[in-house]
Each structure stands twice: as C-alpha cells, then as structure tokens.
Amino acid sequence: MDLAARRTLVGELAMRQLDAAYNLARWLLGNDADAGDAVHDAFVRALQSAHTYAGGNGKAWWLTIVRHCCFARLKEHGRGRRFVAIDQLAAELGEAAAQRVLPNTAADEPEQNAAAAQERARLHRQLRGLPEEYREVLVLREIEELSYREIAQMLSIPIGTVMSRLSRGREKLLQALGANGDRP
Amino acid sequence: MNCESSRRLLPLYFDGELDPADSRAFEAHLDGCAACRQALAELEALRARLRDPAMRYAAPAALRGRLAAAMPAARPRARAWAALAASWLAAALLGAGAAGLWHDRQQGLRAQAGLTRDLFASHWRALAAASPVDVVSSDRHTVKPWFAGKVAESPPVRDFAAQGFPLAGGRIDYVGSARVPVLVYRHGGHLIDVFVLAAPPAGLPRQARMQGYGLRVLALDHAAAAVVSDMDEAELDRFARLLAQGGEPPPSR
Ligand SMILES: [Zn+2]
C-alpha cells in the first residue's frame, strides 16, 4: 500500500473512532478545549505516522496516539488546570448527551428523569475524582470496551497491572457510590 | 474451586478474559456461592451505569469538521468545507440520495457570494453531523452560560416556545474562518439556525434562498443575526420578526 492510501486509511480510522478519542481525551484532560486540541494534535500525528500503522487493531493504535497527546498537553499545562468547576457539571453532562440524542427528544426530557440525571452526575463526579491511573483503565475498559491486552499495549504496562488497576478502580468507585448512600 | 481463588478469577470472568475451562469451573462455584454472585452483580451494575451514553463524551461537531477538513485529500478539492461536508456525508451514512442532493447544493453554492455561501454551508454541515447542537437545552439559562468562555461574547438567548419555535440548544460553528455562536430552534420537523454575528455583516443580502433553504438577516441587540432554515417563506419571516422584536423580555443581565 502506498503512503497516500495508508494516510487515507488512517484518517478514516481516526474519524470513525473520533468519539472514542474525544471521550478518552475529555476524561483525561477534564475540559473541552484541551480535549479538542489533544485530539486535533493526535489526528495530525496519526497522519504523520501512518506508515507505522500495520493494519489490524486500529482503535487501540489510534487511542495510543491520542493518549500520548493528552499527556503531552498535561505536561505543558504543568497539571494546573485539569478540571473545570463542579458547577459546570450539569452543562457537561448535557453536552455529552447532546451528541447522541436529537434535540426533539432531548428537549422534552420529562421531569422523572431528574433522579436518574442526579445519579449519573454523582457517578460522573466520582470517576472524575479518581486518580488518573484508575480513571484511565476504567474509561478504556468499561466505556471504550478495550480488552486487557489492548489496554496493556496502549499503556505499555503488564496485563497484571491492568488487572490490578481495574480492580482497584472498580472497588474505589463502588465504595464511593456506596458511601454516598441511596445506591440500590 | 474455593471462594478465595474464585474471587481472583471473578473480574477476569466478568471481562471475558477466562478460557472456557476456567469459565466453567468458575460458574460451578458461582452456582453454589451467593457472595460471589453478589460481587458479580455489583460489577455488572457498575458497568451498566458507566456505559450509560451520558457518560461518554462525543466529539463536538466543530472538531469533527476541523479534522474532516484536514483529511488527506484523495483528489484535489476546491474548498476545505467541501471536503469536510463530503466526508461527513460518508461518515453519517446518509446514502447515495443525500450525496446527490449535496452535489446539487454545491452547484447552487457556487452562485452565491462568500458569506451567504458560508452560512448555508454551515447549516447543512450541522444537519449532516451526528447532532446539530453541542448543548441540548430548551432552557435559555442553560444555553447562554454554555457559550461563556467559548466565544468572545455570549449571545442573547430567548425562547419562542409559546410562538411555536422552541429553543433546541446551541453550538459553536465556523462561518468562513470565524467562530460564531449558533442558537438552534425547532419548528415542527424543521431546524432553525440563528448565527449571531458580532457586527452587521457587509455584503450580506437581507434575504436569500437556495435549494429550498431560506436566509434572513436582521439586527439583533447590538449585533446581527442570520437565520437559516428550510421552513417556508412565511414561517421564516414570522420567526425573523419574532427574533427582531425579542419576543418575551430578554433575561436580566
Ligand atoms: Zn464464592
């Protein structure tokens, strides 16, 4: 395959997995502006390194680049402004949902969903509050549905470490949610 | 298998990482152990909540557009937005009919002046995207603050639900190379984009029509607004009048 074709392939892969990329970046960086910039950086880098893409598991390859760009950005900011204020939470949840729901259904959201929304907000807050190493594997495994092996390759860590971080992260989340009461 | 070794395998079983023989052995233990079943149920409940679509951030339409425009071109393209729209159409799986329609629209676009063309293009881009809004809300008190920090000045946000044009949300979009706040309203099955422009635009007609879509330009507080929708002319005029008059009193600032 020539380089142009490979670049097209990589570009299409990145566009297909753009939500996955943005989701990872957004959870790692904590705000829209940085997440968008990191994904943009990653897109440029992915095209530049299209020759290293051997085909096969594209999602993990692409997310590895996204993750690198996120950490590069975190370093740049000296880890100073990672999270936006909690009072933006409602708006953020709205944003996340906005991409999946068409306005004519979302705008008429009935009041009875208020409790469910509160519940989601609490889980959201707890996951956000987790140390990065746990948050990262939880997002990759539970939300992006990557396997242990894929996560291990992405993070350059042994599979055993993926397992222990995942278990610890789940434990912490369950504890935090349980401690907050009214978990069914 | 005892409970202790079973607990070690539980996450692997849950994550589908156990081989079939170990899975069967684990399930045999599970049948007789309520504590392990409970632990498994907890993991399942947590996963269900984490996989709620609201927990997953989706790429904003503006980012998708920027990247689509930067896609390596398979063939030379006249303008970035054309490349962007073309790949969005492919990505949005709109099918051959829509692609043909897009081609027609492109022909029409060439006949229009720059800014007018950008406004129609922006509207169609949003329609082709997964969602035409970045913040979904019928509450102007949610939409207005959402813009804060994203654009130089939050636009005035009013709701016209009582008049049949409920607020659907907002987004930031590019008109040419400028980042512009867009308020999105609904009217029946029609979406209405209101582009809030910082200054009364030069060279923009008061109204234009293209491929079944209409444009109205009006003064809005200290700014100007360009309205684009596929509503019929009369409804578009009615909405433009409402917008110009301000409908209900503006929110206190
Ligand atoms: Zn047991």
mmCIF file of all heavy atoms in Angstrom, chain B residues 140-184:
data_model
loop_
_atom_site.group_PDB
_atom_site.id
_atom_site.type_symbol
_atom_site.label_atom_id
_atom_site.label_comp_id
_atom_site.label_asym_id
_atom_site.label_seq_id
_atom_site.Cartn_x
_atom_site.Cartn_y
_atom_site.Cartn_z
ATOM 1 N N ARG B 140 -33.048 28.707 28.184
ATOM 2 C CA ARG B 140 -32.089 29.720 27.756
ATOM 3 C C ARG B 140 -31.055 29.992 28.838
ATOM 4 O O ARG B 140 -29.955 30.430 28.573
ATOM 5 C CB ARG B 140 -32.824 30.999 27.372
ATOM 6 C CG ARG B 140 -33.547 31.604 28.538
ATOM 7 C CD ARG B 140 -34.202 32.929 28.180
ATOM 8 N NE ARG B 140 -34.436 33.660 29.402
ATOM 9 C CZ ARG B 140 -35.591 34.216 29.726
ATOM 10 N NH1 ARG B 140 -36.606 34.147 28.897
ATOM 11 N NH2 ARG B 140 -35.719 34.855 30.856
ATOM 12 N N HIS B 141 -31.419 29.714 30.123
ATOM 13 C CA HIS B 141 -30.466 29.949 31.213
ATOM 14 C C HIS B 141 -29.371 28.886 31.227
ATOM 15 O O HIS B 141 -28.388 29.016 31.925
ATOM 16 C CB HIS B 141 -31.186 29.988 32.560
ATOM 17 C CG HIS B 141 -32.209 31.081 32.628
ATOM 18 N ND1 HIS B 141 -31.873 32.413 32.497
ATOM 19 C CD2 HIS B 141 -33.552 31.044 32.755
ATOM 20 C CE1 HIS B 141 -32.968 33.144 32.565
ATOM 21 N NE2 HIS B 141 -34.002 32.333 32.712
ATOM 22 N N THR B 142 -29.565 27.803 30.508
ATOM 23 C CA THR B 142 -28.502 26.809 30.338
ATOM 24 C C THR B 142 -27.673 27.126 29.109
ATOM 25 O O THR B 142 -26.455 27.002 29.108
ATOM 26 C CB THR B 142 -29.109 25.397 30.178
ATOM 27 O OG1 THR B 142 -29.920 25.123 31.312
ATOM 28 C CG2 THR B 142 -28.024 24.336 30.053
ATOM 29 N N VAL B 143 -28.362 27.569 28.063
ATOM 30 C CA VAL B 143 -27.680 27.773 26.788
ATOM 31 C C VAL B 143 -26.751 28.989 26.837
ATOM 32 O O VAL B 143 -25.608 28.920 26.399
ATOM 33 C CB VAL B 143 -28.703 27.920 25.642
ATOM 34 C CG1 VAL B 143 -27.996 28.262 24.343
ATOM 35 C CG2 VAL B 143 -29.503 26.627 25.480
ATOM 36 N N LYS B 144 -27.243 30.083 27.422
ATOM 37 C CA LYS B 144 -26.414 31.292 27.422
ATOM 38 C C LYS B 144 -25.068 31.099 28.136
ATOM 39 O O LYS B 144 -24.024 31.394 27.563
ATOM 40 C CB LYS B 144 -27.185 32.475 28.007
ATOM 41 C CG LYS B 144 -26.403 33.797 27.897
ATOM 42 C CD LYS B 144 -27.233 34.974 28.370
ATOM 43 C CE LYS B 144 -26.366 36.215 28.569
ATOM 44 N NZ LYS B 144 -25.867 36.759 27.296
ATOM 45 N N PRO B 145 -25.088 30.569 29.394
ATOM 46 C CA PRO B 145 -23.790 30.380 30.065
ATOM 47 C C PRO B 145 -22.877 29.374 29.369
ATOM 48 O O PRO B 145 -21.669 29.453 29.501
ATOM 49 C CB PRO B 145 -24.166 29.871 31.462
ATOM 50 C CG PRO B 145 -25.618 29.773 31.524
ATOM 51 C CD PRO B 145 -26.217 30.252 30.263
ATOM 52 N N TRP B 146 -23.485 28.456 28.614
ATOM 53 C CA TRP B 146 -22.664 27.463 27.907
ATOM 54 C C TRP B 146 -21.710 28.148 26.941
ATOM 55 O O TRP B 146 -20.588 27.717 26.725
ATOM 56 C CB TRP B 146 -23.578 26.487 27.158
ATOM 57 C CG TRP B 146 -22.836 25.424 26.412
ATOM 58 C CD1 TRP B 146 -22.340 24.255 26.903
ATOM 59 C CD2 TRP B 146 -22.467 25.435 25.019
ATOM 60 N NE1 TRP B 146 -21.700 23.553 25.920
ATOM 61 C CE2 TRP B 146 -21.759 24.244 24.761
ATOM 62 C CE3 TRP B 146 -22.669 26.347 23.980
ATOM 63 C CZ2 TRP B 146 -21.264 23.930 23.500
ATOM 64 C CZ3 TRP B 146 -22.176 26.045 22.736
ATOM 65 C CH2 TRP B 146 -21.480 24.847 22.497
ATOM 66 N N PHE B 147 -22.165 29.259 26.369
ATOM 67 C CA PHE B 147 -21.332 29.967 25.394
ATOM 68 C C PHE B 147 -20.180 30.719 26.055
ATOM 69 O O PHE B 147 -19.172 31.006 25.418
ATOM 70 C CB PHE B 147 -22.167 30.971 24.593
ATOM 71 C CG PHE B 147 -23.002 30.339 23.520
ATOM 72 C CD1 PHE B 147 -24.371 30.257 23.635
ATOM 73 C CD2 PHE B 147 -22.410 29.815 22.381
ATOM 74 C CE1 PHE B 147 -25.138 29.680 22.638
ATOM 75 C CE2 PHE B 147 -23.165 29.234 21.377
ATOM 76 C CZ PHE B 147 -24.540 29.168 21.509
ATOM 77 N N ALA B 148 -20.360 31.037 27.354
ATOM 78 C CA ALA B 148 -19.351 31.845 28.036
ATOM 79 C C ALA B 148 -17.996 31.157 27.964
ATOM 80 O O ALA B 148 -17.875 29.971 28.238
ATOM 81 C CB ALA B 148 -19.760 32.081 29.483
ATOM 82 N N GLY B 149 -16.984 31.897 27.593
ATOM 83 C CA GLY B 149 -15.648 31.324 27.520
ATOM 84 C C GLY B 149 -15.368 30.622 26.200
ATOM 85 O O GLY B 149 -14.232 30.336 25.886
ATOM 86 N N LYS B 150 -16.425 30.344 25.433
ATOM 87 C CA LYS B 150 -16.213 29.681 24.155
ATOM 88 C C LYS B 150 -16.171 30.690 23.009
ATOM 89 O O LYS B 150 -15.516 30.464 22.002
ATOM 90 C CB LYS B 150 -17.320 28.649 23.892
ATOM 91 C CG LYS B 150 -17.305 27.485 24.891
ATOM 92 C CD LYS B 150 -18.292 26.410 24.468
ATOM 93 C CE LYS B 150 -18.200 25.165 25.330
ATOM 94 N NZ LYS B 150 -18.655 25.371 26.703
ATOM 95 N N VAL B 151 -16.913 31.773 23.197
ATOM 96 C CA VAL B 151 -16.862 32.859 22.218
ATOM 97 C C VAL B 151 -16.685 34.159 22.988
ATOM 98 O O VAL B 151 -16.918 34.216 24.200
ATOM 99 C CB VAL B 151 -18.151 32.938 21.359
ATOM 100 C CG1 VAL B 151 -18.184 31.798 20.361
ATOM 101 C CG2 VAL B 151 -19.379 32.897 22.233
ATOM 102 N N ALA B 152 -16.267 35.211 22.290
ATOM 103 C CA ALA B 152 -15.956 36.476 22.955
ATOM 104 C C ALA B 152 -17.148 36.985 23.763
ATOM 105 O O ALA B 152 -17.002 37.447 24.877
ATOM 106 C CB ALA B 152 -15.515 37.503 21.916
ATOM 107 N N GLU B 153 -18.321 36.890 23.193
ATOM 108 C CA GLU B 153 -19.492 37.401 23.888
ATOM 109 C C GLU B 153 -20.654 36.433 23.771
ATOM 110 O O GLU B 153 -20.998 35.997 22.664
ATOM 111 C CB GLU B 153 -19.889 38.755 23.298
ATOM 112 C CG GLU B 153 -20.772 39.553 24.231
ATOM 113 C CD GLU B 153 -20.925 40.999 23.768
ATOM 114 O OE1 GLU B 153 -20.095 41.467 22.965
ATOM 115 O OE2 GLU B 153 -21.892 41.638 24.201
ATOM 116 N N SER B 154 -21.239 36.055 24.922
ATOM 117 C CA SER B 154 -22.401 35.166 24.875
ATOM 118 C C SER B 154 -23.548 35.880 24.176
ATOM 119 O O SER B 154 -23.836 37.026 24.476
ATOM 120 C CB SER B 154 -22.852 34.788 26.282
ATOM 121 O OG SER B 154 -21.931 33.911 26.858
ATOM 122 N N PRO B 155 -24.195 35.211 23.246
ATOM 123 C CA PRO B 155 -25.286 35.859 22.523
ATOM 124 C C PRO B 155 -26.526 35.961 23.412
ATOM 125 O O PRO B 155 -26.676 35.206 24.368
ATOM 126 C CB PRO B 155 -25.545 34.892 21.371
ATOM 127 C CG PRO B 155 -25.159 33.562 21.918
ATOM 128 C CD PRO B 155 -24.000 33.813 22.841
ATOM 129 N N PRO B 156 -27.401 36.923 23.118
ATOM 130 C CA PRO B 156 -28.679 36.953 23.824
ATOM 131 C C PRO B 156 -29.483 35.706 23.431
ATOM 132 O O PRO B 156 -29.564 35.374 22.260
ATOM 133 C CB PRO B 156 -29.345 38.228 23.303
ATOM 134 C CG PRO B 156 -28.673 38.523 22.014
ATOM 135 C CD PRO B 156 -27.290 37.962 22.099
ATOM 136 N N VAL B 157 -30.025 35.020 24.425
ATOM 137 C CA VAL B 157 -30.770 33.789 24.148
ATOM 138 C C VAL B 157 -32.211 33.961 24.585
ATOM 139 O O VAL B 157 -32.475 34.288 25.737
ATOM 140 C CB VAL B 157 -30.157 32.584 24.887
ATOM 141 C CG1 VAL B 157 -30.952 31.318 24.569
ATOM 142 C CG2 VAL B 157 -28.702 32.403 24.501
ATOM 143 N N ARG B 158 -33.133 33.795 23.662
ATOM 144 C CA ARG B 158 -34.553 33.886 24.010
ATOM 145 C C ARG B 158 -35.262 32.647 23.513
ATOM 146 O O ARG B 158 -34.848 32.020 22.550
ATOM 147 C CB ARG B 158 -35.181 35.129 23.389
ATOM 148 C CG ARG B 158 -34.542 36.417 23.889
ATOM 149 C CD ARG B 158 -35.298 37.627 23.408
ATOM 150 N NE ARG B 158 -34.587 38.841 23.774
ATOM 151 C CZ ARG B 158 -33.713 39.446 22.970
ATOM 152 N NH1 ARG B 158 -33.475 38.966 21.768
ATOM 153 N NH2 ARG B 158 -33.094 40.536 23.369
ATOM 154 N N ASP B 159 -36.343 32.359 24.198
ATOM 155 C CA ASP B 159 -37.130 31.185 23.805
ATOM 156 C C ASP B 159 -38.423 31.668 23.155
ATOM 157 O O ASP B 159 -39.011 32.647 23.598
ATOM 158 C CB ASP B 159 -37.433 30.331 25.040
ATOM 159 C CG ASP B 159 -37.997 28.977 24.632
ATOM 160 O OD1 ASP B 159 -37.883 28.629 23.437
ATOM 161 O OD2 ASP B 159 -38.544 28.286 25.496
ATOM 162 N N PHE B 160 -38.831 30.998 22.095
ATOM 163 C CA PHE B 160 -40.086 31.348 21.441
ATOM 164 C C PHE B 160 -41.018 30.143 21.413
ATOM 165 O O PHE B 160 -41.743 29.925 20.431
ATOM 166 C CB PHE B 160 -39.825 31.865 20.033
ATOM 167 C CG PHE B 160 -38.884 33.044 19.989
ATOM 168 C CD1 PHE B 160 -37.569 32.882 19.595
ATOM 169 C CD2 PHE B 160 -39.316 34.306 20.389
ATOM 170 C CE1 PHE B 160 -36.693 33.952 19.571
ATOM 171 C CE2 PHE B 160 -38.440 35.387 20.372
ATOM 172 C CZ PHE B 160 -37.128 35.219 19.962
ATOM 173 N N ALA B 161 -40.945 29.347 22.479
ATOM 174 C CA ALA B 161 -41.761 28.125 22.547
ATOM 175 C C ALA B 161 -43.245 28.474 22.435
ATOM 176 O O ALA B 161 -44.004 27.797 21.739
ATOM 177 C CB ALA B 161 -41.483 27.369 23.844
ATOM 178 N N ALA B 162 -43.646 29.556 23.100
ATOM 179 C CA ALA B 162 -45.054 29.939 23.106
ATOM 180 C C ALA B 162 -45.534 30.275 21.694
ATOM 181 O O ALA B 162 -46.706 30.114 21.368
ATOM 182 C CB ALA B 162 -45.256 31.139 24.036
ATOM 183 N N GLN B 163 -44.608 30.731 20.857
ATOM 184 C CA GLN B 163 -44.976 31.101 19.490
ATOM 185 C C GLN B 163 -44.739 29.956 18.513
ATOM 186 O O GLN B 163 -44.835 30.119 17.297
ATOM 187 C CB GLN B 163 -44.161 32.337 19.048
ATOM 188 C CG GLN B 163 -44.510 33.607 19.806
ATOM 189 C CD GLN B 163 -43.653 33.768 21.071
ATOM 190 O OE1 GLN B 163 -42.942 32.864 21.475
ATOM 191 N NE2 GLN B 163 -43.752 34.940 21.702
ATOM 192 N N GLY B 164 -44.361 28.767 19.054
ATOM 193 C CA GLY B 164 -44.187 27.601 18.187
ATOM 194 C C GLY B 164 -42.764 27.372 17.714
ATOM 195 O O GLY B 164 -42.525 26.549 16.834
ATOM 196 N N PHE B 165 -41.805 28.103 18.328
ATOM 197 C CA PHE B 165 -40.400 27.918 17.938
ATOM 198 C C PHE B 165 -39.551 27.658 19.182
ATOM 199 O O PHE B 165 -38.795 28.530 19.613
ATOM 200 C CB PHE B 165 -39.856 29.159 17.220
ATOM 201 C CG PHE B 165 -40.623 29.542 15.984
ATOM 202 C CD1 PHE B 165 -41.640 30.490 16.046
ATOM 203 C CD2 PHE B 165 -40.330 28.963 14.753
ATOM 204 C CE1 PHE B 165 -42.350 30.858 14.911
ATOM 205 C CE2 PHE B 165 -41.039 29.321 13.617
ATOM 206 C CZ PHE B 165 -42.052 30.271 13.697
ATOM 207 N N PRO B 166 -39.686 26.445 19.772
ATOM 208 C CA PRO B 166 -38.918 26.186 20.997
ATOM 209 C C PRO B 166 -37.407 26.142 20.744
ATOM 210 O O PRO B 166 -36.974 25.716 19.681
ATOM 211 C CB PRO B 166 -39.431 24.813 21.450
ATOM 212 C CG PRO B 166 -39.979 24.186 20.226
ATOM 213 C CD PRO B 166 -40.501 25.301 19.368
ATOM 214 N N LEU B 167 -36.669 26.610 21.754
ATOM 215 C CA LEU B 167 -35.211 26.564 21.713
ATOM 216 C C LEU B 167 -34.762 25.106 21.820
ATOM 217 O O LEU B 167 -35.259 24.364 22.661
ATOM 218 C CB LEU B 167 -34.660 27.371 22.904
ATOM 219 C CG LEU B 167 -33.154 27.495 23.068
ATOM 220 C CD1 LEU B 167 -32.547 28.277 21.902
ATOM 221 C CD2 LEU B 167 -32.830 28.196 24.393
ATOM 222 N N ALA B 168 -33.854 24.684 20.934
ATOM 223 C CA ALA B 168 -33.370 23.290 20.987
ATOM 224 C C ALA B 168 -31.976 23.205 21.576
ATOM 225 O O ALA B 168 -31.568 22.175 22.072
ATOM 226 C CB ALA B 168 -33.375 22.672 19.599
ATOM 227 N N GLY B 169 -31.214 24.302 21.509
ATOM 228 C CA GLY B 169 -29.855 24.268 22.052
ATOM 229 C C GLY B 169 -28.959 25.244 21.316
ATOM 230 O O GLY B 169 -29.434 26.222 20.733
ATOM 231 N N GLY B 170 -27.670 24.966 21.347
ATOM 232 C CA GLY B 170 -26.720 25.863 20.699
ATOM 233 C C GLY B 170 -25.478 25.113 20.285
ATOM 234 O O GLY B 170 -25.265 23.978 20.661
ATOM 235 N N ARG B 171 -24.688 25.774 19.479
ATOM 236 C CA ARG B 171 -23.385 25.213 19.135
ATOM 237 C C ARG B 171 -22.468 26.357 18.733
ATOM 238 O O ARG B 171 -22.913 27.499 18.573
ATOM 239 C CB ARG B 171 -23.506 24.183 18.004
ATOM 240 C CG ARG B 171 -23.850 24.751 16.643
ATOM 241 C CD ARG B 171 -23.766 23.686 15.539
ATOM 242 N NE ARG B 171 -23.885 24.314 14.229
ATOM 243 C CZ ARG B 171 -25.051 24.615 13.650
ATOM 244 N NH1 ARG B 171 -26.192 24.365 14.265
ATOM 245 N NH2 ARG B 171 -25.072 25.199 12.475
ATOM 246 N N ILE B 172 -21.183 26.038 18.646
ATOM 247 C CA ILE B 172 -20.241 26.976 18.074
ATOM 248 C C ILE B 172 -19.929 26.448 16.683
ATOM 249 O O ILE B 172 -19.683 25.271 16.513
ATOM 250 C CB ILE B 172 -18.920 27.011 18.880
ATOM 251 C CG1 ILE B 172 -19.182 27.227 20.361
ATOM 252 C CG2 ILE B 172 -17.980 28.053 18.295
ATOM 253 C CD1 ILE B 172 -19.369 28.651 20.757
ATOM 254 N N ASP B 173 -19.973 27.315 15.702
ATOM 255 C CA ASP B 173 -19.679 26.833 14.365
ATOM 256 C C ASP B 173 -18.765 27.816 13.656
ATOM 257 O O ASP B 173 -18.578 28.940 14.112
ATOM 258 C CB ASP B 173 -20.981 26.625 13.583
ATOM 259 C CG ASP B 173 -20.853 25.457 12.593
ATOM 260 O OD1 ASP B 173 -19.733 25.213 12.102
ATOM 261 O OD2 ASP B 173 -21.867 24.801 12.326
ATOM 262 N N TYR B 174 -18.233 27.364 12.571
ATOM 263 C CA TYR B 174 -17.377 28.237 11.779
ATOM 264 C C TYR B 174 -18.178 28.800 10.620
ATOM 265 O O TYR B 174 -18.835 28.058 9.887
ATOM 266 C CB TYR B 174 -16.171 27.466 11.241
ATOM 267 C CG TYR B 174 -15.135 27.230 12.303
ATOM 268 C CD1 TYR B 174 -15.287 26.215 13.233
ATOM 269 C CD2 TYR B 174 -14.013 28.061 12.403
ATOM 270 C CE1 TYR B 174 -14.340 26.007 14.225
ATOM 271 C CE2 TYR B 174 -13.069 27.867 13.391
ATOM 272 C CZ TYR B 174 -13.239 26.837 14.294
ATOM 273 O OH TYR B 174 -12.303 26.650 15.282
ATOM 274 N N VAL B 175 -18.120 30.117 10.469
ATOM 275 C CA VAL B 175 -18.666 30.751 9.279
ATOM 276 C C VAL B 175 -17.468 31.366 8.596
ATOM 277 O O VAL B 175 -16.886 32.323 9.097
ATOM 278 C CB VAL B 175 -19.721 31.814 9.621
ATOM 279 C CG1 VAL B 175 -20.159 32.544 8.364
ATOM 280 C CG2 VAL B 175 -20.919 31.149 10.300
ATOM 281 N N GLY B 176 -17.063 30.784 7.479
ATOM 282 C CA GLY B 176 -15.763 31.127 6.933
ATOM 283 C C GLY B 176 -14.737 30.683 7.955
ATOM 284 O O GLY B 176 -14.750 29.543 8.395
ATOM 285 N N SER B 177 -13.885 31.602 8.427
ATOM 286 C CA SER B 177 -12.883 31.204 9.414
ATOM 287 C C SER B 177 -13.234 31.726 10.802
ATOM 288 O O SER B 177 -12.459 31.580 11.736
ATOM 289 C CB SER B 177 -11.513 31.726 8.987
ATOM 290 O OG SER B 177 -11.578 33.134 8.869
ATOM 291 N N ALA B 178 -14.409 32.354 10.951
ATOM 292 C CA ALA B 178 -14.778 32.932 12.248
ATOM 293 C C ALA B 178 -15.585 31.948 13.085
ATOM 294 O O ALA B 178 -16.447 31.244 12.576
ATOM 295 C CB ALA B 178 -15.593 34.209 12.022
ATOM 296 N N ARG B 179 -15.285 31.918 14.385
ATOM 297 C CA ARG B 179 -16.075 31.109 15.308
ATOM 298 C C ARG B 179 -17.294 31.901 15.727
ATOM 299 O O ARG B 179 -17.174 33.018 16.206
ATOM 300 C CB ARG B 179 -15.250 30.790 16.565
ATOM 301 C CG ARG B 179 -14.375 29.577 16.435
ATOM 302 C CD ARG B 179 -13.359 29.581 17.540
ATOM 303 N NE ARG B 179 -13.953 29.367 18.862
ATOM 304 C CZ ARG B 179 -14.215 28.168 19.364
ATOM 305 N NH1 ARG B 179 -13.928 27.099 18.674
ATOM 306 N NH2 ARG B 179 -14.741 28.025 20.566
ATOM 307 N N VAL B 180 -18.452 31.312 15.536
ATOM 308 C CA VAL B 180 -19.689 32.056 15.724
ATOM 309 C C VAL B 180 -20.656 31.240 16.591
ATOM 310 O O VAL B 180 -20.807 30.039 16.389
ATOM 311 C CB VAL B 180 -20.335 32.320 14.337
ATOM 312 C CG1 VAL B 180 -21.733 32.856 14.472
ATOM 313 C CG2 VAL B 180 -19.470 33.262 13.527
ATOM 314 N N PRO B 181 -21.283 31.895 17.596
ATOM 315 C CA PRO B 181 -22.313 31.171 18.344
ATOM 316 C C PRO B 181 -23.566 30.982 17.488
ATOM 317 O O PRO B 181 -23.973 31.891 16.768
ATOM 318 C CB PRO B 181 -22.605 32.093 19.538
ATOM 319 C CG PRO B 181 -22.112 33.439 19.141
ATOM 320 C CD PRO B 181 -21.054 33.257 18.085
ATOM 321 N N VAL B 182 -24.132 29.788 17.575
ATOM 322 C CA VAL B 182 -25.341 29.481 16.810
ATOM 323 C C VAL B 182 -26.422 29.012 17.778
ATOM 324 O O VAL B 182 -26.186 28.101 18.569
ATOM 325 C CB VAL B 182 -25.089 28.368 15.764
ATOM 326 C CG1 VAL B 182 -26.333 28.165 14.903
ATOM 327 C CG2 VAL B 182 -23.882 28.694 14.902
ATOM 328 N N LEU B 183 -27.572 29.672 17.746
ATOM 329 C CA LEU B 183 -28.713 29.214 18.532
ATOM 330 C C LEU B 183 -29.579 28.358 17.607
ATOM 331 O O LEU B 183 -29.796 28.712 16.453
ATOM 332 C CB LEU B 183 -29.518 30.405 19.051
ATOM 333 C CG LEU B 183 -28.717 31.402 19.884
ATOM 334 C CD1 LEU B 183 -29.558 32.615 20.218
ATOM 335 C CD2 LEU B 183 -28.217 30.727 21.148
ATOM 336 N N VAL B 184 -30.031 27.223 18.146
ATOM 337 C CA VAL B 184 -30.812 26.314 17.313
ATOM 338 C C VAL B 184 -32.236 26.228 17.856
ATOM 339 O O VAL B 184 -32.442 25.971 19.050
ATOM 340 C CB VAL B 184 -30.165 24.917 17.274
ATOM 341 C CG1 VAL B 184 -30.940 24.005 16.327
ATOM 342 C CG2 VAL B 184 -28.708 25.013 16.843
#
